[in-house]
Amino acid sequence: MINDQDTPRKMERVSRDQVETNERFYKIPKALFENEFYAEMKLETKMVYAILRDRFLLSIKNNWIDKNGDVYLIYKNSDLQTILSVGEKKVISLKKELADFGLLEEERQGLNKPNRLYVGNINADIEVIHRANPLGDKELLKRQFRNCQNDRSRTAKMTGQELSKRQSSETESSETNLSETETNSFDEDEVNANSKKAQQSFIAIGKIIQNNPELRNVVQGLIPDLLLNEPQQAEIVVRALERGYHFLITELEKGNSVLTLQKQLQGEVAIKQLLLNTGFKQVDYMRDHLIDISQYGKYFASGFDNRLKIAITTSQSVSGF
């Protein structure tokens, strides 16, 4: 005799209606939540990005592809208003934020024709903020981080040579104290290696500032404490500032409209001011999110590069320079 429990249960197959109703969903890239560059983007804006990306299949079906091979969308503001249940001003604001992050371009087609929308690719190369020792040592590491960055107002008035001299004297003092204590050969080698690396970083920073004197005030104003406490991390930051400086100079020579306007308004200090303002934004973000000081330079460089690119492609930098 066969019990009901032994009877194989008939599988319920998924119907077309179910696929077209229950199984439809929007895909939101994880990078919008995990990458620090998009951390300040509104949740609603991330949703708009997902909605627009979902229209790509329809664009392909309708052959909405321009002469350059780029796919565009036809999506009226009224349609977004309906799907989001918001007003037109809200939709315009959300689209503007997408544009500010380099994820949306709108191209007019002419009278009585809908605009073409071009959706940008997510920058997946930006790394997720690293959180070392997230529990037990969290407050200690935060304190260490703040000690390196909490004093913007004090400008460290040092040249590259002075930084190198100071590091040399600190190295001599460190070596003297080390000789008076009992250490094994492994510890001594490690300390000497770290001191040598620190001194090399000071020399490298001095050379960069010597070759780019315009960066002196930027470096001193942005990372005065980091220069003294974490020279190797400071070197990475200074190299990022150097790259950013030459990037802005090149863009200005190409006729970038944002930079050209700022130079007209502020004169020769415009480039330095943009470097400082962008650097401070990145430092502020990292102060709240980054815990492991050994990752400081790496994450500053990544975020700073991307913030600069956004700054010279949006009108935000004009008002918030």
Side-chain angles (χ1 to χ4, degrees), residues 56-90:
F56 275 155
L57 290 179
L58 179 62
S59 293
I60 298 296
K61 181 178 179 180
N62 292 335
N63 197 33
W64 289 341
I65 302 172
D66 64 19
K67 59 183 180 181
N68 298 319
D70 297 325
V71 180
Y72 62 86
L73 314 176
I74 302 295
Y75 210 146
K76 298 178 182 178
N77 284 353
S78 57
D79 294 332
L80 280 173
Q81 288 176 239
T82 300
I83 198 169
L84 294 171
S85 300
V86 298
E88 185 176 12
K89 287 185 178 179
K90 182 68 172 181

mmCIF file of all heavy atoms in Angstrom, residues 56-90:
data_model
loop_
_atom_site.group_PDB
_atom_site.id
_atom_site.type_symbol
_atom_site.label_atom_id
_atom_site.label_comp_id
_atom_site.label_asym_id
_atom_site.label_seq_id
_atom_site.Cartn_x
_atom_site.Cartn_y
_atom_site.Cartn_z
ATOM 1 N N PHE A 56 17.516 48.796 -21.683
ATOM 2 C CA PHE A 56 18.450 48.519 -22.769
ATOM 3 C C PHE A 56 17.922 47.494 -23.768
ATOM 4 O O PHE A 56 18.125 47.619 -24.977
ATOM 5 C CB PHE A 56 19.793 48.042 -22.206
ATOM 6 C CG PHE A 56 20.708 49.163 -21.822
ATOM 7 C CD1 PHE A 56 21.684 48.989 -20.861
ATOM 8 C CD2 PHE A 56 20.601 50.395 -22.415
ATOM 9 C CE1 PHE A 56 22.529 50.023 -20.506
ATOM 10 C CE2 PHE A 56 21.438 51.451 -22.070
ATOM 11 C CZ PHE A 56 22.401 51.258 -21.108
ATOM 12 N N LEU A 57 17.273 46.461 -23.272
ATOM 13 C CA LEU A 57 16.754 45.429 -24.178
ATOM 14 C C LEU A 57 15.731 46.017 -25.146
ATOM 15 O O LEU A 57 15.697 45.660 -26.328
ATOM 16 C CB LEU A 57 16.133 44.282 -23.370
ATOM 17 C CG LEU A 57 17.117 43.407 -22.586
ATOM 18 C CD1 LEU A 57 16.367 42.325 -21.810
ATOM 19 C CD2 LEU A 57 18.124 42.753 -23.522
ATOM 20 N N LEU A 58 14.903 46.929 -24.630
ATOM 21 C CA LEU A 58 13.933 47.582 -25.501
ATOM 22 C C LEU A 58 14.645 48.442 -26.542
ATOM 23 O O LEU A 58 14.229 48.488 -27.713
ATOM 24 C CB LEU A 58 12.982 48.451 -24.663
ATOM 25 C CG LEU A 58 11.921 49.232 -25.450
ATOM 26 C CD1 LEU A 58 11.004 48.274 -26.194
ATOM 27 C CD2 LEU A 58 11.109 50.128 -24.513
ATOM 28 N N SER A 59 15.722 49.093 -26.149
ATOM 29 C CA SER A 59 16.487 49.915 -27.090
ATOM 30 C C SER A 59 17.072 49.064 -28.208
ATOM 31 O O SER A 59 17.042 49.445 -29.384
ATOM 32 C CB SER A 59 17.610 50.647 -26.353
ATOM 33 O OG SER A 59 17.093 51.602 -25.456
ATOM 34 N N ILE A 60 17.619 47.915 -27.824
ATOM 35 C CA ILE A 60 18.183 47.007 -28.834
ATOM 36 C C ILE A 60 17.086 46.529 -29.782
ATOM 37 O O ILE A 60 17.271 46.484 -31.007
ATOM 38 C CB ILE A 60 18.858 45.796 -28.154
ATOM 39 C CG1 ILE A 60 20.031 46.252 -27.273
ATOM 40 C CG2 ILE A 60 19.324 44.795 -29.194
ATOM 41 C CD1 ILE A 60 21.159 46.889 -28.037
ATOM 42 N N LYS A 61 15.946 46.194 -29.209
ATOM 43 C CA LYS A 61 14.817 45.712 -30.021
ATOM 44 C C LYS A 61 14.363 46.778 -31.006
ATOM 45 O O LYS A 61 14.022 46.486 -32.165
ATOM 46 C CB LYS A 61 13.659 45.320 -29.102
ATOM 47 C CG LYS A 61 12.439 44.775 -29.838
ATOM 48 C CD LYS A 61 11.349 44.377 -28.835
ATOM 49 C CE LYS A 61 10.113 43.852 -29.569
ATOM 50 N NZ LYS A 61 9.044 43.468 -28.601
ATOM 51 N N ASN A 62 14.357 48.037 -30.562
ATOM 52 C CA ASN A 62 13.910 49.137 -31.428
ATOM 53 C C ASN A 62 15.039 49.730 -32.273
ATOM 54 O O ASN A 62 14.832 50.701 -32.995
ATOM 55 C CB ASN A 62 13.299 50.249 -30.576
ATOM 56 C CG ASN A 62 11.990 49.831 -29.932
ATOM 57 O OD1 ASN A 62 11.300 48.955 -30.425
ATOM 58 N ND2 ASN A 62 11.652 50.471 -28.811
ATOM 59 N N ASN A 63 16.240 49.155 -32.139
ATOM 60 C CA ASN A 63 17.417 49.627 -32.863
ATOM 61 C C ASN A 63 17.737 51.089 -32.546
ATOM 62 O O ASN A 63 18.101 51.874 -33.429
ATOM 63 C CB ASN A 63 17.216 49.454 -34.375
ATOM 64 C CG ASN A 63 18.540 49.544 -35.133
ATOM 65 O OD1 ASN A 63 19.593 49.138 -34.616
ATOM 66 N ND2 ASN A 63 18.506 50.065 -36.338
ATOM 67 N N TRP A 64 17.618 51.448 -31.252
ATOM 68 C CA TRP A 64 17.979 52.795 -30.821
ATOM 69 C C TRP A 64 19.479 52.834 -30.560
ATOM 70 O O TRP A 64 19.941 52.843 -29.421
ATOM 71 C CB TRP A 64 17.193 53.182 -29.568
ATOM 72 C CG TRP A 64 15.731 53.416 -29.870
ATOM 73 C CD1 TRP A 64 15.176 53.676 -31.076
ATOM 74 C CD2 TRP A 64 14.667 53.395 -28.920
ATOM 75 N NE1 TRP A 64 13.817 53.832 -30.963
ATOM 76 C CE2 TRP A 64 13.473 53.667 -29.646
ATOM 77 C CE3 TRP A 64 14.587 53.189 -27.553
ATOM 78 C CZ2 TRP A 64 12.229 53.721 -29.030
ATOM 79 C CZ3 TRP A 64 13.355 53.249 -26.940
ATOM 80 C CH2 TRP A 64 12.181 53.516 -27.667
ATOM 81 N N ILE A 65 20.224 52.857 -31.630
ATOM 82 C CA ILE A 65 21.686 52.863 -31.570
ATOM 83 C C ILE A 65 22.166 53.972 -32.503
ATOM 84 O O ILE A 65 21.751 54.040 -33.666
ATOM 85 C CB ILE A 65 22.270 51.510 -32.016
ATOM 86 C CG1 ILE A 65 21.706 50.378 -31.137
ATOM 87 C CG2 ILE A 65 23.794 51.522 -31.951
ATOM 88 C CD1 ILE A 65 22.073 48.999 -31.604
ATOM 89 N N ASP A 66 23.025 54.851 -31.988
ATOM 90 C CA ASP A 66 23.450 55.982 -32.813
ATOM 91 C C ASP A 66 24.570 55.572 -33.766
ATOM 92 O O ASP A 66 25.014 54.412 -33.792
ATOM 93 C CB ASP A 66 23.861 57.175 -31.945
ATOM 94 C CG ASP A 66 25.077 56.888 -31.074
ATOM 95 O OD1 ASP A 66 25.818 55.927 -31.370
ATOM 96 O OD2 ASP A 66 25.296 57.624 -30.095
ATOM 97 N N LYS A 67 25.054 56.530 -34.541
ATOM 98 C CA LYS A 67 26.065 56.247 -35.558
ATOM 99 C C LYS A 67 27.398 55.812 -34.959
ATOM 100 O O LYS A 67 28.230 55.217 -35.650
ATOM 101 C CB LYS A 67 26.280 57.478 -36.445
ATOM 102 C CG LYS A 67 26.740 58.716 -35.682
ATOM 103 C CD LYS A 67 26.861 59.908 -36.609
ATOM 104 C CE LYS A 67 27.324 61.149 -35.848
ATOM 105 N NZ LYS A 67 27.435 62.326 -36.741
ATOM 106 N N ASN A 68 27.610 56.108 -33.664
ATOM 107 C CA ASN A 68 28.842 55.685 -32.988
ATOM 108 C C ASN A 68 28.735 54.300 -32.369
ATOM 109 O O ASN A 68 29.694 53.810 -31.777
ATOM 110 C CB ASN A 68 29.209 56.698 -31.897
ATOM 111 C CG ASN A 68 29.491 58.080 -32.457
ATOM 112 O OD1 ASN A 68 30.126 58.209 -33.495
ATOM 113 N ND2 ASN A 68 28.998 59.106 -31.772
ATOM 114 N N GLY A 69 27.551 53.695 -32.496
ATOM 115 C CA GLY A 69 27.345 52.370 -31.919
ATOM 116 C C GLY A 69 26.907 52.402 -30.466
ATOM 117 O O GLY A 69 26.833 51.352 -29.821
ATOM 118 N N ASP A 70 26.603 53.594 -29.934
ATOM 119 C CA ASP A 70 26.177 53.721 -28.541
ATOM 120 C C ASP A 70 24.664 53.559 -28.438
ATOM 121 O O ASP A 70 23.902 54.118 -29.242
ATOM 122 C CB ASP A 70 26.573 55.085 -27.972
ATOM 123 C CG ASP A 70 28.081 55.270 -27.948
ATOM 124 O OD1 ASP A 70 28.784 54.262 -27.715
ATOM 125 O OD2 ASP A 70 28.562 56.399 -28.152
ATOM 126 N N VAL A 71 24.248 52.814 -27.421
ATOM 127 C CA VAL A 71 22.820 52.575 -27.201
ATOM 128 C C VAL A 71 22.225 53.750 -26.434
ATOM 129 O O VAL A 71 22.806 54.231 -25.462
ATOM 130 C CB VAL A 71 22.608 51.271 -26.398
ATOM 131 C CG1 VAL A 71 21.116 51.034 -26.162
ATOM 132 C CG2 VAL A 71 23.225 50.088 -27.129
ATOM 133 N N TYR A 72 21.070 54.225 -26.884
ATOM 134 C CA TYR A 72 20.392 55.299 -26.157
ATOM 135 C C TYR A 72 18.971 54.869 -25.794
ATOM 136 O O TYR A 72 18.441 53.883 -26.327
ATOM 137 C CB TYR A 72 20.376 56.600 -26.969
ATOM 138 C CG TYR A 72 19.640 56.541 -28.288
ATOM 139 C CD1 TYR A 72 18.263 56.772 -28.368
ATOM 140 C CD2 TYR A 72 20.331 56.270 -29.473
ATOM 141 C CE1 TYR A 72 17.589 56.727 -29.580
ATOM 142 C CE2 TYR A 72 19.670 56.220 -30.696
ATOM 143 C CZ TYR A 72 18.308 56.455 -30.739
ATOM 144 O OH TYR A 72 17.641 56.404 -31.938
ATOM 145 N N LEU A 73 18.366 55.603 -24.875
ATOM 146 C CA LEU A 73 17.016 55.301 -24.410
ATOM 147 C C LEU A 73 16.075 56.441 -24.779
ATOM 148 O O LEU A 73 16.498 57.585 -24.928
ATOM 149 C CB LEU A 73 16.972 55.137 -22.886
ATOM 150 C CG LEU A 73 18.038 54.276 -22.211
ATOM 151 C CD1 LEU A 73 17.860 54.348 -20.698
ATOM 152 C CD2 LEU A 73 17.967 52.840 -22.679
ATOM 153 N N ILE A 74 14.813 56.105 -24.897
ATOM 154 C CA ILE A 74 13.750 57.105 -24.991
ATOM 155 C C ILE A 74 12.876 56.890 -23.764
ATOM 156 O O ILE A 74 12.138 55.908 -23.673
ATOM 157 C CB ILE A 74 12.918 56.958 -26.277
ATOM 158 C CG1 ILE A 74 13.812 57.072 -27.512
ATOM 159 C CG2 ILE A 74 11.800 57.984 -26.297
ATOM 160 C CD1 ILE A 74 14.457 58.426 -27.685
ATOM 161 N N TYR A 75 12.998 57.776 -22.800
ATOM 162 C CA TYR A 75 12.258 57.608 -21.545
ATOM 163 C C TYR A 75 11.871 59.002 -21.049
ATOM 164 O O TYR A 75 12.696 59.758 -20.558
ATOM 165 C CB TYR A 75 13.141 56.904 -20.504
ATOM 166 C CG TYR A 75 12.374 56.054 -19.508
ATOM 167 C CD1 TYR A 75 12.915 54.882 -19.007
ATOM 168 C CD2 TYR A 75 11.117 56.437 -19.059
ATOM 169 C CE1 TYR A 75 12.227 54.097 -18.104
ATOM 170 C CE2 TYR A 75 10.417 55.655 -18.161
ATOM 171 C CZ TYR A 75 10.971 54.491 -17.680
ATOM 172 O OH TYR A 75 10.277 53.732 -16.788
ATOM 173 N N LYS A 76 10.597 59.338 -21.178
ATOM 174 C CA LYS A 76 10.125 60.663 -20.805
ATOM 175 C C LYS A 76 10.127 60.847 -19.290
ATOM 176 O O LYS A 76 9.999 59.888 -18.526
ATOM 177 C CB LYS A 76 8.714 60.880 -21.342
ATOM 178 C CG LYS A 76 8.596 60.828 -22.858
ATOM 179 C CD LYS A 76 7.152 61.015 -23.295
ATOM 180 C CE LYS A 76 7.007 60.911 -24.806
ATOM 181 N NZ LYS A 76 5.585 61.050 -25.218
ATOM 182 N N ASN A 77 10.258 62.095 -18.867
ATOM 183 C CA ASN A 77 10.195 62.399 -17.438
ATOM 184 C C ASN A 77 8.864 61.959 -16.841
ATOM 185 O O ASN A 77 8.799 61.502 -15.699
ATOM 186 C CB ASN A 77 10.381 63.898 -17.207
ATOM 187 C CG ASN A 77 11.824 64.330 -17.351
ATOM 188 O OD1 ASN A 77 12.716 63.509 -17.502
ATOM 189 N ND2 ASN A 77 12.060 65.637 -17.303
ATOM 190 N N SER A 78 7.801 62.093 -17.624
ATOM 191 C CA SER A 78 6.480 61.719 -17.129
ATOM 192 C C SER A 78 6.402 60.226 -16.814
ATOM 193 O O SER A 78 5.706 59.810 -15.878
ATOM 194 C CB SER A 78 5.402 62.093 -18.153
ATOM 195 O OG SER A 78 5.665 61.482 -19.411
ATOM 196 N N ASP A 79 7.123 59.415 -17.614
ATOM 197 C CA ASP A 79 7.137 57.969 -17.354
ATOM 198 C C ASP A 79 7.863 57.664 -16.044
ATOM 199 O O ASP A 79 7.436 56.805 -15.261
ATOM 200 C CB ASP A 79 7.806 57.226 -18.512
ATOM 201 C CG ASP A 79 7.010 57.326 -19.802
ATOM 202 O OD1 ASP A 79 5.775 57.474 -19.712
ATOM 203 O OD2 ASP A 79 7.615 57.266 -20.885
ATOM 204 N N LEU A 80 8.971 58.365 -15.808
ATOM 205 C CA LEU A 80 9.692 58.171 -14.551
ATOM 206 C C LEU A 80 8.871 58.676 -13.370
ATOM 207 O O LEU A 80 8.897 58.090 -12.279
ATOM 208 C CB LEU A 80 11.034 58.905 -14.601
ATOM 209 C CG LEU A 80 12.171 58.197 -15.340
ATOM 210 C CD1 LEU A 80 13.385 59.109 -15.460
ATOM 211 C CD2 LEU A 80 12.554 56.901 -14.632
ATOM 212 N N GLN A 81 8.132 59.770 -13.575
ATOM 213 C CA GLN A 81 7.265 60.271 -12.517
ATOM 214 C C GLN A 81 6.248 59.214 -12.105
ATOM 215 O O GLN A 81 5.983 59.006 -10.914
ATOM 216 C CB GLN A 81 6.514 61.527 -12.998
ATOM 217 C CG GLN A 81 7.375 62.766 -13.119
ATOM 218 C CD GLN A 81 6.570 63.916 -13.696
ATOM 219 O OE1 GLN A 81 6.917 64.458 -14.736
ATOM 220 N NE2 GLN A 81 5.481 64.288 -13.037
ATOM 221 N N THR A 82 5.685 58.552 -13.104
ATOM 222 C CA THR A 82 4.654 57.539 -12.833
ATOM 223 C C THR A 82 5.228 56.348 -12.089
ATOM 224 O O THR A 82 4.673 55.894 -11.087
ATOM 225 C CB THR A 82 4.025 57.058 -14.155
ATOM 226 O OG1 THR A 82 3.428 58.166 -14.826
ATOM 227 C CG2 THR A 82 2.972 55.994 -13.890
ATOM 228 N N ILE A 83 6.367 55.838 -12.540
ATOM 229 C CA ILE A 83 6.921 54.631 -11.950
ATOM 230 C C ILE A 83 7.489 54.887 -10.555
ATOM 231 O O ILE A 83 7.487 54.008 -9.696
ATOM 232 C CB ILE A 83 7.994 54.011 -12.877
ATOM 233 C CG1 ILE A 83 8.240 52.558 -12.475
ATOM 234 C CG2 ILE A 83 9.295 54.798 -12.841
ATOM 235 C CD1 ILE A 83 9.064 51.799 -13.478
ATOM 236 N N LEU A 84 7.953 56.128 -10.314
ATOM 237 C CA LEU A 84 8.530 56.463 -9.011
ATOM 238 C C LEU A 84 7.524 57.130 -8.075
ATOM 239 O O LEU A 84 7.818 57.321 -6.883
ATOM 240 C CB LEU A 84 9.725 57.409 -9.192
ATOM 241 C CG LEU A 84 10.953 56.830 -9.905
ATOM 242 C CD1 LEU A 84 11.963 57.939 -10.205
ATOM 243 C CD2 LEU A 84 11.608 55.748 -9.064
ATOM 244 N N SER A 85 6.376 57.522 -8.638
ATOM 245 C CA SER A 85 5.341 58.217 -7.858
ATOM 246 C C SER A 85 5.874 59.519 -7.252
ATOM 247 O O SER A 85 5.697 59.799 -6.062
ATOM 248 C CB SER A 85 4.784 57.306 -6.743
ATOM 249 O OG SER A 85 4.202 56.149 -7.284
ATOM 250 N N VAL A 86 6.567 60.286 -8.079
ATOM 251 C CA VAL A 86 7.116 61.576 -7.637
ATOM 252 C C VAL A 86 6.790 62.634 -8.678
ATOM 253 O O VAL A 86 6.301 62.335 -9.769
ATOM 254 C CB VAL A 86 8.645 61.499 -7.439
ATOM 255 C CG1 VAL A 86 9.002 60.499 -6.360
ATOM 256 C CG2 VAL A 86 9.352 61.148 -8.752
ATOM 257 N N GLY A 87 7.037 63.902 -8.339
ATOM 258 C CA GLY A 87 6.783 64.990 -9.255
ATOM 259 C C GLY A 87 7.909 65.200 -10.238
ATOM 260 O O GLY A 87 8.977 64.585 -10.140
ATOM 261 N N GLU A 88 7.686 66.114 -11.187
ATOM 262 C CA GLU A 88 8.675 66.351 -12.250
ATOM 263 C C GLU A 88 9.968 66.934 -11.689
ATOM 264 O O GLU A 88 11.059 66.571 -12.120
ATOM 265 C CB GLU A 88 8.098 67.288 -13.304
ATOM 266 C CG GLU A 88 9.039 67.486 -14.490
ATOM 267 C CD GLU A 88 8.438 68.341 -15.584
ATOM 268 O OE1 GLU A 88 7.392 68.970 -15.324
ATOM 269 O OE2 GLU A 88 9.012 68.383 -16.685
ATOM 270 N N LYS A 89 9.864 67.855 -10.699
ATOM 271 C CA LYS A 89 11.066 68.451 -10.124
ATOM 272 C C LYS A 89 11.956 67.387 -9.489
ATOM 273 O O LYS A 89 13.182 67.455 -9.578
ATOM 274 C CB LYS A 89 10.683 69.498 -9.079
ATOM 275 C CG LYS A 89 10.112 70.781 -9.669
ATOM 276 C CD LYS A 89 9.873 71.823 -8.586
ATOM 277 C CE LYS A 89 9.350 73.123 -9.187
ATOM 278 N NZ LYS A 89 9.100 74.142 -8.133
ATOM 279 N N LYS A 90 11.336 66.408 -8.858
ATOM 280 C CA LYS A 90 12.098 65.325 -8.225
ATOM 281 C C LYS A 90 12.819 64.500 -9.273
ATOM 282 O O LYS A 90 14.004 64.151 -9.111
ATOM 283 C CB LYS A 90 11.162 64.428 -7.406
ATOM 284 C CG LYS A 90 11.865 63.309 -6.669
ATOM 285 C CD LYS A 90 12.744 63.837 -5.543
ATOM 286 C CE LYS A 90 13.284 62.720 -4.686
ATOM 287 N NZ LYS A 90 14.121 63.219 -3.579
#
